[in-house]
Amino acid sequence: MAHDIVFFLAPDDETAAATRLQNPGRAFESVTCRFIEPDSAIAEWDMYFEEPSAEVPPLEQLHGWSWPKWVTAPLNDGVEVFALPQRLTRALASASSSELEELAGRWIIRLKSADGDDMTDEDLLAVLQGVAQLATSAVSTGGGLYSWSF
């Protein structure tokens, strides 16, 4: 589980990759959260918009889903930088409040089933709403949406 996660805007993969050694939240428009797995969150969100449902799909389906691509290869320091898929960025940008609420509810159920009492204490709906706002900016500027985690 990542301790610090930053979802952020960058104009391209090269710029996003350059954040690898520092938290990009200081230099880029961003949303921060703690104690989630950003790659599985991104896959969960992407799966939701491809197959909308309030029901949590089986874990095997999530594991078989297309996961985000690394912008920088992971090293032993635990830092990862992922690019969110463009289709997910577009879906988040156009998501309604009710879609974000339904997705947050589904995401919370999955996290509670996996992590129980150790689940993050973040307001996951607020995280999703913030990432959706970033997605709107990414779509309007032609940039990308990324995740940095440690």
Side-chain angles (χ1 to χ4, degrees):
M1 180 173 303
H3 289 255
D4 296 307
I5 302 93
V6 181
F7 293 97
F8 67 101
L9 295 177
D12 53 48
D13 288 359
E14 185 177 328
T15 305
T19 69
R20 195 191 138 352
L21 297 177
Q22 61 197 20
N23 181 323
R26 295 177 202 92
F28 297 88
E29 189 176 348
S30 63
V31 170
T32 62
C33 60
R34 297 176 54 84
F35 304 117
I36 64 165
E37 291 293 344
D39 52 350
S40 64
I42 294 165
E44 177 85 33
W45 302 346
D46 190 43
M47 186 169 48
Y48 171 83
F49 286 109
E50 287 295 308
E51 301 173 11
S53 169
E55 299 299 315
V56 177
L59 194 56
E60 298 80 30
Q61 186 177 355
L62 177 64
H63 287 175
W65 200 257
S66 151
W67 287 58
K69 71 175 179 99
W70 277 303
V71 176
T72 60
L75 300 175
N76 290 337
D77 62 4
V79 175
E80 297 178 312
V81 180
F82 294 107
L84 276 70
Q86 285 297 317
R87 72 172 179 249
L88 174 58
T89 301
R90 288 188 301 272
L92 284 165
S94 63
S96 68
S97 310
S98 61
E99 286 175 314
L100 293 175
E101 289 169 11
E102 184 174 86
L103 172 55
R106 181 172 124 166
W107 185 28
I108 290 166
I109 291 168
R110 182 170 315 276
L111 289 176
K112 280 186 178 179
S113 71
D115 300 328
D117 290 338
D118 292 332
M119 190 185 100
T120 181
D121 59 359
E122 293 286 338
D123 179 344
L124 297 180
L125 176 57
V127 170
L128 266 173
Q129 290 167 331
V131 173
Q133 289 175 344
L134 291 177
T136 301
S137 294
V139 168
S140 69
T141 63
L145 187 51
Y146 299 89
S147 168
W148 176 96
S149 61
F150 173 73

